[in-house]
Amino acid sequence: MTLRIGVIGTGAIGRDHIRRITNDLTGGEIVAVTDVNAESAKNVVNELQLQAEIYENGHDVIKADDVDAIIVTSWGPTHEEFVLASIAAGKPVFCEKPLATTAEGCKRIVDAEVAHGKQLVQVGFMRRFDKSYRQLKKVFDEGKVGEALVVHCAHRNPTAPGFSGDMAITDSFVHEIDVLRWLLDDDYISCQVILPRSTRFAENDLQDPHMILLETKKGIRIDVEVFVNCKYGYDIQCQIVGETGIANLPEPQSVLMRSEAKLSTDIYVDWKDRFIDSYDVELQEWIDSTAKGEMNGPSAWDGYVVAVTSDACVEAKHSRAIVPIEMPERPAFYDQGSTLGK
């Protein structure tokens, strides 16, 4: 069976997903596209020689009889609208982050999905599909370092053009929020944000870097350095300190060089290069599970947890206080399909 997919939003990430589904993955076919810029939708259809209908708006894509599933890669503030419409139509939907631009919006999606009675929503947190993170999780789940006590992380970008305000938290740190819950099979209860001296390379009103401290229900302490103008490269680090050992996130494979009296390896400078394979795995697994009537990726509930935690971190940044992360009990509805701990 070929999964017939409609894509809402043909900007950079939408175009990439259309390309990989068309050229690199199996089991899916793009049959419908739309974008607020009609020329963008036409261009991607022509460039990739798609046999796809171009629709005027996202709601028409969702309603189309020949569309089995939806991918939402439009402007962030439109995500909630299109995800809710997909749920109402009973169609599986893959939504790039953010699930919605507010925690309240995410909760509306959760409530709509629970009322519908079947999980349909997957959120595009791709780090769960990264080979390195999966290797680290396997080591941890097998108990090779014992129970986790402390986790040290870093999220470093060479530059962050256009970043301002709280975007280092709301656009970058959100990936750690999701992947660490999945990695540790735990939830957060409090956060604190410490602001070091800011780099002179930060633009606008951006504070950079941040030190973000999280505490989990099990008592694990997490510290994350978010430094989005580090200049030297794109560098993602994660170390689990356990009772009997320490496990580090594997470094991306790189040739070890001995040259000009130096021992060196290359460091990525583009996040797309670091995680390009994870996007392929993410979409292939979504196609495969959706074709079987399953939902095995980050859920709408996971998207809601990220939004609530992100909001608490922003509050902690501005208040300089330790802020409790208050979350309602996860609906039993998500126990069967949730990937937390899997």
Side-chain angles (χ1 to χ4, degrees):
M1 170 189 168
T2 298
L3 187 71
R4 300 172 298 179
I5 301 167
V7 178
I8 302 172
T10 58
I13 190 67
R15 185 178 296 260
D16 278 350
H17 286 343
I18 291 169
R19 175 198 52 75
R20 61 174 45 93
I21 289 170
T22 302
N23 295 336
D24 302 327
L25 308 183
T26 61
E29 179 185 3
I30 307 300
V31 299
V33 299
T34 189
D35 194 273
V36 291
N37 180 350
E39 285 302 312
S40 173
K42 292 177 184 176
N43 288 341
V44 73
V45 168
N46 292 334
E47 288 171 11
L48 296 174
Q49 299 180 334
L50 304 177
Q51 299 299 311
E53 185 77 20
I54 300 172
Y55 285 89
E56 185 175 338
N57 60 67
H59 291 284
D60 289 341
V61 170
I62 294 166
K63 293 174 185 175
D65 291 336
D66 65 340
V67 171
D68 302 317
I70 308 297
I71 292 178
V72 176
T73 47
S74 51
W75 187 42
T78 67
H79 288 189
E80 179 185 351
E81 173 188 352
F82 293 133
V83 172
L84 287 172
S86 298
I87 294 170
K91 295 188 176 182
V93 53
F94 177 95
C95 180
E96 276 298 344
K97 73 168 186 73
L99 177 61
T101 53
T102 65
E104 293 78 14
C106 292
K107 187 59 163 56
R108 285 190 287 269
I109 290 171
V110 166
D111 292 342
E113 190 176 39
V114 171
H116 178 76
K118 182 180 179 181
Q119 281 191 246
L120 296 172
V121 181
Q122 179 168 324
V123 187
F125 290 115
M126 81 294 182
R127 288 200 192 177
R128 299 190 189 197
F129 303 89
D130 175 62
K131 181 179 180 180
S132 296
Y133 272 107
R134 287 186 166 186
Q135 288 175 317
L136 180 60
K137 182 165 178 60
K138 184 174 186 293
V139 166
F140 177 64
D141 286 350
E142 290 174 350
K144 293 184 177 179
V145 298
E147 294 293 330
L149 307 174
V150 176
V151 179
H152 305 295
C153 300
H155 182 141
R156 302 182 183 121
N157 296 59
T159 60
F163 265 42
S164 62
D166 301 315
M167 291 177 67
I169 294 173
T170 60
D171 281 46
S172 293
F173 177 61
V174 287
H175 285 289
E176 272 76 21
I177 295 174
D178 178 71
V179 79
L180 293 174
R181 287 181 64 243
W182 167 79
L183 186 64
L184 300 169
D185 188 17
D186 204 353
D187 275 305
Y188 311 118
I189 60 172
S190 71
C191 62
Q192 181 181 6
V193 178
I194 298 171
L195 303 179
R197 176 184 178 184
S198 188
T199 173
R200 62 189 173 90
F201 296 112
E203 298 178 351
N204 305 316
D205 60 344
L206 182 71
Q207 159 67 38
D208 191 34
H210 293 66
M211 290 297 302
I212 301 173
L213 310 179
L214 298 168
E215 181 183 6
T216 75
K217 287 183 177 180
K218 295 177 184 177
I220 303 167
R221 293 288 184 165
I222 300 168
D223 60 80
V224 184
E225 171 205 319
V226 182
F227 187 10
V228 296
N229 288 280
C230 76
K231 293 301 178 185
Y232 72 86
Y234 183 74
D235 190 10
I236 303 299
Q237 301 288 328
C238 182
Q239 181 187 76
I240 300 174
V241 179
E243 291 180 310
T244 60
I246 292 174
N248 286 288
L249 184 71
E251 293 281 352
Q253 190 172 16
S254 178
V255 174
L256 181 64
M257 293 285 294
R258 285 176 167 85
S259 177
E260 298 178 348
K262 294 179 182 178
L263 182 67
S264 64
T265 57
D266 289 338
I267 297 174
Y268 286 122
V269 295
D270 190 332
W271 61 269
K272 291 181 182 178
D273 293 332
R274 170 62 179 84
F275 287 112
I276 188 68
D277 292 339
S278 67
Y279 284 101
D280 291 345
V281 175
E282 175 186 46
L283 266 296
Q284 186 65 70
E285 290 191 10
W286 176 73
I287 290 170
D288 294 344
S289 62
T290 300
K292 292 185 289 187
E294 301 173 357
M295 207 302 293
N296 296 316
S299 67
W301 177 258
D302 296 323
Y304 171 61
V305 171
V306 169
V308 171
T309 305
S310 175
D311 285 351
C313 290
V314 170
E315 179 184 343
K317 170 185 173 179
H318 294 285
S319 68
R320 306 295 178 96
I322 297 174
V323 173
I325 300 173
E326 298 177 351
M327 201 79 58
E329 198 69 28
R330 183 176 67 183
F333 171 81
Y334 289 101
D335 289 345
Q336 291 183 345
S338 175
T339 58
L340 187 59
K342 293 184 181 179

